[in-house]
Amino acid sequence: MNPTTDYLTFELKKSVQGTNSGIPSSAYLHIPFCRRRCYYCDFPVFVVGDRKNGDNSGTIVQYVAVLCQEIQATKNLGASLKTVFFGGGTPSLLSVSQLSNILETLDSKFGIAAEAEISIEIDPGTFTLEQLRGYAAAGVNRVSLGVQAFQDELLQACGRSHSVADIFEAVEIVRSAGIVNFSLDLISGLPHQTLENWEASLKSAVEISPTHLSSYDLIVEQGTAFGRYFEAGAQPLPADETAAQMYRLAQEILTGAGYEHYEISNYARSGYQCRHNRVYWENRPYYGLGMGAASYVEGRRLTRPRKTQEYYQWVRSMSGLNSPATPQIGGETQPDIYPAIEQNFQVSENDILLETLMLGLRLAEGVSLSALTQKFTQQTVDKIWHCLQPYWRQGWVEIMTEDRAIPYGIAPLHATLGEGAKLPLSGNLRLSDPEGFLFSNTILADLFSKLGENN
């Protein structure tokens, strides 16, 4: 998953990843190349067409060289990498030698742990069996296949370059390459998509039986083709209530098939949750490398330039300095010396609180009440509970104590959590599944608004 992805749309979307002052043991690498730009995509990508990939594209060759230069110039803070994620774009446009070169550079700079999860996003029709076997030999042990839909007309409607037949061929290649841990990505809310289409896609995905499934709701972003053509909730996009039914249907079908709904948009077989993406949701630090990539290192957020030449110039400028993640000159951090950088700032304590809640409440287990109290004080936790009580009464928020949920209306438990009451000192605060997850934007926007007051 690209840290620029997923899909909360309230005002403070810019805080989509948390920050922590610990030592990173994960790295995200952005590979921006695509055969074409999908109509919903607002990620930093570079279109190379259908005939260019890997070693036959001078553009890709140059990018890999600059990316490796950035890796070499980044300060090693002392921990070997336990997760590596190649996102895009379409990373499967890399040749085996290019991907191997990047992994070898990472290993030389940081060290890659023997048990590391190494994931790569791949698109149907962009890789061969020989290529995927080469990826596996280089260390890749998890792939995420960008399926999106199982109807050719929907794939064409959103600008995908593959067909349904390509999907099934890609799955066979993944299996033949011996990669057991693979995920399928699906998108609901596409133009002209019906509930019947969505149900069919979910059932097709279940029949394939991947170890992991991601189910994302389409967001119409400004600046995209869809942003020019469509308005959210208006035809030919599904109505809001239909989109909500799609979310509920995914939860019903996928959990019924034995997948754990461990995060708002993600489902996994036991033991196959995405370890890399949990780094984001658990608000842990990580390296971000490549054009447009965001990193969270030493308590600082830095988003790299989103345009190729500006990114190349930034890396050239950073070479010889101590760390592109936290640029330093004369021993002092200089946040404004590279104007092409999208963001570069130290987060405040209140930012960390908001991010902890936003990210943690995406997970099925929610956030730990004792950890919140220890980190942010009982007064802050009381303020959080005051904001969330209406949603608890509505059934969208739950309190978990000793593996037991305390929903509103269960006497005598709910009597202890009424107006003005304090939360338990232990247990977890979480959103209910599916309704709390479905209305998470509403809940989190309210939290952001109220917790941001007087700050």
Side-chain angles (χ1 to χ4, degrees):
M1 168 185 158
N2 184 327
T4 61
T5 59
D6 226 68
Y7 304 98
L8 293 171
T9 57
F10 51 89
E11 182 179 0
L12 290 181
K13 180 181 176 182
K14 68 180 183 181
S15 297
V16 70
Q17 305 302 345
T19 306
N20 189 297
S21 58
I23 298 175
S25 60
S26 295
Y28 171 81
L29 298 103
H30 190 66
I31 308 300
F33 304 104
C34 288
R35 287 185 170 174
R36 66 188 68 169
R37 180 182 283 275
C38 299
Y39 300 153
Y40 52 77
C41 176
D42 73 335
F43 302 148
V45 300
F46 188 98
V47 175
V48 295
D50 292 337
R51 298 181 181 179
K52 295 290 187 180
N53 56 68
D55 293 327
N56 77 357
S57 168
T59 302
I60 297 178
V61 170
Q62 181 184 13
Y63 181 84
V64 170
V66 176
L67 176 60
C68 289
Q69 185 181 354
E70 184 191 355
I71 294 169
Q72 292 165 344
T74 299
K75 180 169 60 177
N76 181 349
L77 295 176
S80 60
L81 299 177
K82 296 180 180 178
T83 74
V84 176
F85 197 104
F86 289 87
T90 309
S92 46
L93 293 179
L94 293 175
S95 68
V96 172
S97 62
Q98 287 168 339
L99 181 125
S100 298
N101 185 22
I102 296 168
L103 285 172
E104 289 167 3
T105 306
L106 279 174
D107 191 33
S108 175
K109 183 65 182 186
F110 303 107
I112 298 177
E115 73 283 2
E117 174 192 87
I118 302 178
S119 302
I120 186 169
E121 292 179 345
I122 59 178
D123 277 358
T126 64
F127 58 92
T128 65
L129 176 57
E130 180 183 8
Q131 181 183 350
L132 206 55
R133 283 176 172 165
Y135 286 178
V140 170
N141 51 27
R142 181 181 185 276
V143 301
S144 180
L145 186 63
V147 170
Q148 318 315 1
F150 281 87
Q151 294 80 28
D152 281 325
E153 64 274 16
L154 294 183
L155 293 172
Q156 293 168 9
C158 58
R160 297 293 289 177
S161 62
H162 69 267
S163 66
V164 173
D166 291 332
I167 294 171
F168 290 106
E169 182 180 353
V171 170
E172 287 307 308
I173 292 174
V174 170
R175 288 187 169 132
S176 297
I179 298 176
V180 175
N181 189 5
F182 73 98
S183 179
L184 302 183
D185 286 359
L186 298 175
I187 298 180
S188 64
L190 295 171
H192 306 290
Q193 189 178 44
T194 65
L195 271 174
E196 291 74 23
N197 291 151
W198 181 234
E199 181 176 7
S201 286
L202 290 166
K203 289 182 176 179
S204 293
V206 167
E207 287 175 7
I208 290 172
S209 192
T211 54
H212 188 282
L213 278 156
S214 296
S215 173
Y216 300 122
D217 182 38
L218 175 71
I219 297 297
V220 178
E221 300 281 7
Q222 292 184 355
T224 65
F226 277 180
R228 293 191 295 272
Y229 303 152
F230 306 130
E231 182 178 345
Q235 293 184 340
L237 299 179
D240 290 343
E241 181 51 37
T242 302
Q245 292 176 27
M246 289 178 173
Y247 187 88
R248 296 183 182 104
L249 187 61
Q251 191 267 356
E252 177 185 347
I253 290 176
L254 298 181
T255 58
Y259 290 91
E260 177 190 5
H261 193 187
Y262 74 99
E263 191 270 346
I264 283 181
S265 300
N266 287 278
Y267 299 78
R269 299 287 190 196
S270 178
Y272 287 99
Q273 294 184 15
C274 181
R275 287 162 48 194
H276 182 85
N277 287 345
R278 287 200 67 105
V279 170
Y280 309 144
W281 300 321
E282 292 174 4
N283 209 9
R284 290 186 271 147
Y286 66 95
Y287 299 106
L289 301 155
M291 186 179 86
S295 59
Y296 291 87
V297 177
E298 297 180 319
R300 178 170 292 276
R301 165 195 293 278
L302 187 145
T303 304
R304 285 144 187 77
R306 290 173 58 92
K307 296 182 179 179
T308 310
Q309 293 306 316
E310 289 182 355
Y311 167 66
Y312 290 171
Q313 179 58 40
W314 178 75
V315 173
R316 286 193 291 268
S317 299
M318 297 307 300
S319 295
L321 296 182
N322 197 29
S323 167
T326 52
Q328 295 183 5
I329 294 179
E332 295 182 0
T333 298
Q334 304 289 325
D336 299 319
I337 59 174
Y338 302 108
I341 293 174
E342 298 290 319
Q343 294 179 9
N344 181 15
F345 61 88
Q346 195 85 23
V347 297
S348 68
E349 183 176 349
N350 197 60
D351 289 335
I352 295 173
L353 169 63
L354 297 176
E355 291 166 351
T356 297
L357 292 170
M358 179 181 67
L359 295 163
L361 288 174
R362 295 182 63 87
L363 291 167
E365 65 264 31
V367 294
S368 164
L369 291 169
S370 60
L372 280 177
T373 302
Q374 291 170 12
K375 192 167 186 177
F376 302 108
T377 77
Q378 182 64 50
Q379 183 180 5
T380 299
V381 174
D382 291 343
K383 191 173 182 179
I384 293 168
W385 177 235
H386 178 75
C387 176
L388 292 180
Q389 273 192 337
Y391 303 112
W392 174 63
R393 289 192 289 269
Q394 199 163 348
W396 295 357
V397 170
E398 296 175 340
I399 300 99
M400 289 292 296
T401 59
E402 298 178 354
D403 298 323
R404 181 179 185 182
I406 306 178
Y408 179 74
I410 303 299
L413 294 175
H414 81 279
T416 64
L417 294 173
E419 192 69 29
K422 295 182 184 297
L423 283 168
L425 296 179
S426 62
N428 282 32
L429 189 66
R430 71 178 191 183
L431 302 184
S432 62
D433 183 15
E435 297 305 309
F437 279 163
L438 182 57
F439 293 100
S440 59
N441 282 359
T442 298
I443 298 167
L444 291 168
D446 195 13
L447 266 177
F448 269 49
S449 174
K450 292 179 179 175
L451 293 177
E453 294 173 359
N454 302 320
N455 285 289

